[in-house]
Amino acid sequence: MRSGVEAPVAGAEAVAAPAGRAAIEARALSHAYGELVALDRLDLAVAEHEVVGLVGPSGCGKTTLLELIAGLAEPSGGEVLVEGSRAPRARLGSCAYMPQRDLLLPWLSALDNASLALRNRGARRASARAAVAPLFARFGLAGFESKRPRELSGGMRQRVAFLRTLLAGKPVLLLDEPFAALDAITRAEMQEWLAAALASEARTVVLVSHDVEEALYLADRVLVLSARPGRVVAEVRAPSPRLAPRLEAVTAPGFIAARERALAALAGGRDGRPAR
């Protein structure tokens, strides 16, 4: 998934995807809640099977952007396309949205929670469970199939939620700070796990994070948004190739340099002006 060299694009308001078909496109995208403008003429392109991270100050419209991509809301201005379609129902049909909270149903087992994606697609309970059960070992959940959410650790709950998201079978994954509620140690472990999971799954991913290091570690490139109204003010490409384990990756000189550029762009864009 990694491509290109680390290269911030200061002041960028139109961000093109790498060569290849664009799975997500936003053109002069704007959205307002009454008089409050969340996004202002934002341009964005995400290539098929690319992982793009979004960082920016609180309230800059990151979650709003995910909702617009997913077809959960319609923009006040401009347009957004997913897999070439503008229609909200088609966008929703192409996107699997994983919010900050795992939203597991407390009365269901881990296996049944993960199976919900297949049940929603019409599978019977027995066949859905049979299809999902072999994946629990791959996702580090072997032996916990019958456990209720309250019996799982935070990291395990997030793995079940992510497995459910993948099983929805959608080509686009929208991840809204999936590890925000975890402690620092568990969060680092989950970042390493998710990096491996994304490397093995051919999906287009947009990941929202407040953590620049997390975004750079998981994504192919990171887009920095300005303070509200949100616009893209910089692009920072993640170092290539992706290193493992995580500690080796985040302490590499190229990664540290990319992180500093992203942080500088974030600081410069807090007042809504492009980073210098």
Side-chain angles (χ1 to χ4, degrees):
M1 290 185 292
R2 299 289 192 192
S3 61
V5 296
E6 306 153 29
V9 182
E13 292 194 14
V15 179
R21 187 176 73 87
I24 302 171
E25 295 179 90
R27 302 166 183 165
L29 187 66
S30 300
H31 195 68
Y33 300 96
E35 296 183 356
L36 180 66
V37 181
L39 297 170
D40 181 28
R41 298 188 62 80
L42 181 146
D43 292 305
L44 169 73
V46 181
E48 186 178 29
H49 300 164
E50 184 186 19
V51 181
V52 169
L54 298 177
V55 299
S58 295
C60 72
K62 299 185 295 295
T63 296
T64 296
L65 178 56
L66 292 190
E67 292 174 350
L68 293 172
I69 293 171
L72 299 174
E74 278 298 273
S76 303
E79 62 180 358
V80 57
L81 295 83
V82 178
E83 300 287 307
S85 179
R86 298 178 180 83
R89 180 172 293 185
R91 301 202 311 271
L92 183 59
S94 295
C95 295
Y97 188 3
M98 181 176 170
Q100 296 179 25
R101 296 176 58 195
D102 58 65
L103 300 180
L104 300 183
L105 299 181
W107 59 88
L108 293 182
S109 67
L111 182 60
D112 284 328
N113 266 289
S115 302
L116 278 176
L118 298 183
R119 297 292 306 279
N120 290 338
R121 294 165 62 186
R124 294 184 178 275
R125 181 171 182 263
S127 60
R129 287 167 59 93
V132 174
L135 299 175
F136 265 55
R138 174 183 165 192
F139 280 74
L141 294 164
F144 292 89
E145 291 85 352
S146 63
K147 301 296 183 182
R148 297 294 188 271
R150 67 177 181 276
E151 301 175 283
L152 302 176
S153 68
M156 288 180 177
R157 290 171 64 105
Q158 291 302 105
R159 292 184 192 203
V160 173
F162 185 72
L163 177 54
R164 180 183 60 193
T165 303
L166 282 179
L167 288 170
K170 308 295 181 67
V172 175
L173 303 182
L174 305 175
L175 309 180
D176 192 358
E177 296 193 76
F179 306 141
L182 302 180
D183 63 85
I185 294 176
T186 305
R187 184 169 183 154
E189 292 173 348
M190 288 300 297
Q191 288 169 7
E192 190 169 63
W193 172 83
L194 182 56
L198 293 178
S200 66
E201 290 287 340
R203 307 292 178 95
T204 303
V205 181
V206 179
L207 167 76
V208 164
S209 179
H210 274 102
D211 185 338
V212 168
E213 184 173 283
E214 176 178 85
L216 276 171
Y217 177 65
L218 292 171
D220 300 307
R221 58 191 173 110
V222 172
L223 304 181
V224 181
L225 272 60
S226 70
R228 188 173 58 240
R231 286 181 286 184
V232 177
V233 294
E235 172 187 322
V236 179
R237 292 196 177 277
S240 179
R242 191 189 306 270
L243 299 176
R246 177 186 174 280
L247 182 60
E248 180 181 343
V250 301
T251 55
F255 188 97
I256 293 172
R259 183 181 62 200
E260 293 305 308
R261 286 196 288 273
L263 289 171
L266 182 59
R270 286 188 186 278
D271 58 5
R273 294 193 300 267
R276 295 185 182 277

